């Protein structure tokens, strides 16, 4: 069964800083998810990626399938980016919905 | 609808009672997922439906939990004889076919007293 580790657990940044959140997993997969959970609890799917890099606005996600590692980057961070960021991988490989979730990284961006 | 709709948004029930939680996925999405998030805990997988395939029930924590998806659309998660440890936010998500990012509902907060 896949094990998903995220780091750091908590991250405080100043507005404008470049943010990196890391995720590693133990079992080979075909796709990894990055989610954002706002303080109110709502969850938004940011990325589902299987190779290389994806970009959406100021968010960039990369994955290295061979090293079983993914990173989420936020450029020019803003207080509205404050949230918990969660990575998730299929529990038994593949791309099914049986996801194992990381414990999340709580990001706080100060103005 | 435009998004994934869950009802009720909040449910308080007495220990031992049965509850039903409803999820209405985005129209046309063949994949539907149930997860839960207990207070202070991370997200955990419960069950996954994909089209007409047999659901993946491997995350259901006990036989008190069951789920069905009727007509490939609406899904109901049923918890029988609720226990206090069942208190959590139950989240539903859907995806066009499982190979694209998921859309999450806003969840049902279940409190068992």
């Amino acid at each position: 069964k896949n094990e998903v580790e995220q780091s750091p657990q908590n991250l405080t940044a100043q507005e404008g800083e470049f943010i990196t959140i890391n995720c590693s997993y133990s079992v080979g997969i075909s796709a990894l998810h990055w989610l954002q959970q706002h303080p109110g609890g709502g969850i938004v799917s940011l990325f589902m990626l299987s190779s290389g890099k994806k970009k959406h606005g100021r968010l960039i996600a990369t994955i290295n399938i061979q090293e079983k590692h993914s990173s989420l980057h936020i450029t020019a961070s803003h207080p509205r980016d404050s949230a918990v960021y969660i990575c998730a991988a299929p529990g038994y490989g593949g791309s099914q919905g049986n996801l194992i979730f990381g414990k999340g990284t709580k990001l706080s961006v100060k103005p | 609808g435009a998004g994934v709709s869950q009802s009720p948004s909040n449910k308080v029930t007495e220990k031992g009672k049965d509850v039903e939680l409803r999820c209405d996925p985005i129209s046309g999405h063949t994949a539907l997922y149930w997860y839960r998030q207990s207070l202070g805990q991370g997200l955990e997988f419960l069950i996954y439906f994909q089209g007409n395939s047999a659901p993946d029930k491997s995350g259901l924590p006990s036989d008190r939990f069951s789920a069905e998806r009727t007509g490939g659309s609406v899904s109901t998660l049923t918890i029988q004889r609720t226990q206090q440890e069942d208190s959590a936010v139950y989240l539903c998500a859907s995806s066009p076919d499982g190979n694209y990012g998921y859309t999450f509902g806003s969840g049902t907060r279940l409190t068992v007293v």
Side-chain angles (χ1 to χ4, degrees):
Chain A
K1 190 172 181 178
N2 223 334
E3 293 180 5
V4 178
E5 299 285 339
Q6 271 187 251
S7 62
Q9 264 190 299
N10 292 281
L11 183 56
T12 300
Q14 288 299 126
E15 183 173 357
E17 286 185 1
F18 181 82
I19 305 287
T20 295
I21 298 170
N22 295 300
C23 176
S24 61
Y25 52 92
S26 58
V27 175
I29 59 172
S30 58
L32 180 133
H33 299 253
W34 280 102
L35 310 174
Q36 179 191 54
Q37 185 167 32
H38 288 281
I43 294 177
V44 174
S45 175
L46 299 176
F47 297 103
M48 180 177 176
L49 71 165
S50 54
S51 65
K53 181 167 83 172
K54 283 190 175 181
K55 185 175 189 289
H56 182 69
R58 295 180 294 104
L59 301 177
I60 302 166
T62 63
I63 189 167
N64 185 318
I65 295 292
Q66 287 75 29
E67 294 188 2
K68 298 185 180 65
H69 181 270
S70 176
S71 293
L72 177 68
H73 306 285
I74 305 175
T75 62
S77 59
H78 189 276
R80 65 174 173 266
D81 297 326
S82 297
V84 176
Y85 293 84
I86 303 165
C87 69
Y92 298 94
S95 61
Q96 295 85 355
N98 181 342
L99 297 177
I100 301 294
F101 296 86
K103 289 182 166 50
T105 295
K106 186 174 182 179
L107 172 65
S108 178
V109 182
K110 307 292 187 189
Chain B
V4 177
S5 177
Q6 290 189 246
S7 62
S9 54
N10 280 285
K11 175 74 177 178
V12 180
T13 189
E14 291 181 353
K15 179 180 170 182
K17 294 280 177 70
D18 298 352
V19 296
E20 284 190 351
L21 312 180
R22 176 187 168 106
C23 173
D24 204 339
I26 292 174
S27 179
H29 279 197
T30 62
L32 185 148
Y33 317 87
W34 283 99
Y35 303 99
R36 75 174 177 181
Q37 187 171 37
S38 304
L39 186 64
Q41 302 295 315
L43 285 151
E44 63 174 322
F45 164 77
L46 295 176
I47 187 169
Y48 157 50
F49 297 89
Q50 172 60 67
N52 295 322
S53 302
D56 179 347
K57 304 179 181 180
S58 61
L60 296 178
S62 78
D63 59 8
R64 296 185 296 105
F65 287 71
S66 63
E68 62 177 21
R69 189 178 186 192
T70 51
S73 181
V74 171
S75 177
T76 302
L77 177 69
T78 301
I79 309 173
Q80 296 179 309
R81 305 181 303 282
T82 51
Q83 303 293 314
Q84 287 186 327
E85 62 262 27
D86 300 334
S87 296
V89 175
Y90 288 81
L91 290 153
C92 175
S94 71
S95 170
D97 64 0
N99 293 317
Y100 294 92
Y102 302 174
T103 301
F104 283 80
S106 51
T108 293
R109 182 175 297 277
L110 175 68
T111 303
V112 182
V113 298

